[in-house]
Structure formats: C-alpha cells, structure tokens
Amino acid sequence: MAGLFDVDTQAPQQQAGGLFGGGLPAAAAGTSVVVQPLPGTTLASIPAPYQPHGTDELSDQERQDLEVCKAGVDNLHQAFWIAGKALETMSTAELHREENPNFAEWIWENWEISESQLYRLIDEWRVGEALANLGHKPLEYHVRKMTELRRQTSDKVAITVYDTIVRCRPRVTGELVEKVVTDLGFLPKDVDAADVGRRVRELLAAPEGETGTESKGDDVPDISSLGKDSPTGEPGRKPSNSKADPLAEKDIERLQNTLASLQEAAKKINKAAARRAVEAQPDVAVPLIQEIGSLLQQIDRAVAIRLPKAE
C-alpha cells in the first residue's frame, strides 16, 4: 500500500508557474513526490450515497465509509461540497445508526451543524462539485442561489450562470450573484442554457467604451465532461497594436491600481493577525481567508503571461 508521501520514479517533474510558483527541482533527477490525499479531503474519496446494508451493527465496509464521511464533514470550511456529499452518504446509508438513530441530532452533537444547514448542504453539493470541476472554488452562499436556480431550471443552467459571472467579473460576491439571479427573473424549466448565458453577459455588460469584462464568445461550459479547467477571468479583448491605444492606457492604469491596492493590503495583514482571527471567530475568518486566497490566485492567473525578455 502506498504511503502518504511516496516517491514515483516514473512520474515527470513539474514546476509551478505564475506569481506564486515554486520551481524547485525534485531531490533526485527523474523523481517526484506523489502526495496521496487523505481520505475525506477529496470528493472522489467520499463513497456515493447508497442504501443501508442492514439495520443492526455496521459492517466493516460501513465503518470504513463512516470514518471517511466524518473526515469529509470535518472539511466543511475548505470545500463544502465534500461535506455535503459526506452528509448525504451518512444519511442515506444510515451510517449513524449505532451512535444515534436521530441523524440531525447526531450531526449537531458532532459538528454543530443545524438541521436547516444540514439539508441545505446536501442539496448544494452537486452544484458545488460541478463548479469545482470547472476550476472554480465557490463559496457556499454563492451556490445557495445557484441551487435555487437549479431547482427552477436545470443543472446546466445553474452552472452556466455562475461560470458566466466568473468570466465577466474579476470578483464574485454574494450580492452580485443574488442580483444576477434576481434580474434574470422567472425562467421556464426548458430554458436553453446558452440563451441564459447570453442574458447574464448582457446584465453584466460594461459601460460603453469599457470592454474589460467581456467574456470569450458565447460558449457554454460542457458539464458532460467536467474536470477540465474553465478559462475563468480571461478577457475577450484582442491585443492592441498601438502603444498609444486608449485601451492600452486604461490597462496600464488597471495594473498600477492593482499594484497599489496589493501594496496597501500587504501592510495591513500578517500571519499573526490571520491566526488570531481564526482562533477568535473561525466561522467568520475562514471564509474571508479563503476568498482572499481565491482572489490572489485569480490575479496570479491573470498576470501569468509570457513577458518580453529584458534588453
């Protein structure tokens, strides 16, 4: 059985790119470290919901599944869709029956997740999984509105709406998601996802003369082959051939403003402050830290371009 940190002599070496990439070589030529994810930390490690194997004691397999699912719920603040799948599996398979036959009560005793939040997470995890497989890392309250849209229309429409918002805006907030869903109004059950995507782009259209929020074409994410990265945040603008082009001047201004904002932010935050915040109010601090990290990664991807060599 492979360990957590096993050396794979056949695996090719990889180097991270972008602002935060490491680029350090492996310890020996031709080798790389393979990190095996711990059970419960990835969606694939959570068993799919299944019917109970019995009504008495848990079988060995059920006990193993229970431990993996418990680890998945412990992962709630990192990836709520993993926790949601774990909750549904434990509920459907009645893996809680030895400890407490009342599932909602058992969940509260172990994780202090209310009954309403419990069933909301179960309802949301499939949309969260689909968006994660497209390369997004949505917050739970973002997906809450998408889940409402999914019930009204379809999985594809809900996923298309969120994917389009991310493509059209550098920062996605709960207020923005709620406004888009509200502005879309009532949608029929059989509405075409591509039509909805075009409507979202219209709702998020920039003022005249500003093209930085255009998305790339009218493409709709293909959720039949989830797992490929989504080209989130990539603008559809063609490069300017003139150094005096007004759009180029605006782009320079954007880069300068971004740098100034990051420099100002760097003065205000440090590890000690982050640790104190998490220790004092983890339910508030953890989502904030996750969103900061997500935005930094988005900036990293946006500027990870081939730069001209210095003369």
Side-chain angles (χ1 to χ4, degrees), residues 93-247:
E94 297 180 0
L95 299 179
H96 57 94
R97 61 183 184 268
E98 283 188 350
E99 298 183 30
N100 189 333
N102 187 316
F103 182 63
E105 185 179 282
W106 179 70
I107 291 297
W108 176 257
E109 290 172 349
N110 284 276
W111 293 280
E112 294 188 353
I113 297 175
S114 68
E115 187 169 0
S116 60
Q117 185 186 12
L118 157 64
Y119 291 108
R120 190 171 67 233
L121 289 167
I122 289 176
D123 196 31
E124 293 169 350
W125 77 262
R126 288 174 176 82
V127 173
E129 173 197 15
L131 293 174
N133 285 339
L134 283 173
H136 306 311
K137 192 174 181 181
L139 297 178
E140 192 259 338
Y141 61 85
H142 293 176
V143 173
R144 196 175 307 164
K145 298 300 293 185
M146 294 302 101
T147 303
E148 294 174 11
L149 195 60
R150 167 180 171 256
R151 286 197 294 268
Q152 181 185 343
T153 55
S154 66
D155 289 343
K156 192 166 187 177
V157 168
I159 294 163
T160 297
V161 168
Y162 191 84
D163 186 77
T164 305
I165 293 173
V166 174
R167 290 168 182 254
C168 292
R169 284 290 184 268
R171 182 170 183 267
V172 180
T173 64
E175 183 180 3
L176 176 61
V177 171
E178 185 169 359
K179 185 178 187 307
V180 169
V181 174
T182 300
D183 290 347
L184 282 173
F186 174 78
L187 297 173
K189 190 74 174 177
D190 58 350
V191 66
D192 183 71
D195 290 340
V196 176
R198 283 189 285 271
R199 175 61 180 149
V200 172
R201 281 189 286 274
E202 292 173 1
L203 292 172
L204 297 175
E208 185 176 355
E210 175 60 75
T211 59
T213 56
E214 290 181 4
S215 62
K216 296 180 67 177
D218 289 338
D219 54 321
V220 174
D222 179 8
I223 62 173
S224 64
S225 57
L226 290 172
K228 299 179 180 179
D229 289 337
S230 172
T232 57
E234 295 181 5
R237 179 193 307 152
K238 294 181 180 179
S240 170
N241 293 323
S242 171
K243 293 183 179 180
D245 188 274
L247 291 179

Side-chain angles (χ1 to χ4, degrees), residues 53-66:
H53 293 174
T55 58
D56 299 323
E57 293 184 357
L58 298 178
S59 65
D60 290 343
Q61 182 60 55
E62 286 179 312
R63 292 186 193 282
Q64 181 178 332
D65 290 346
L66 175 60

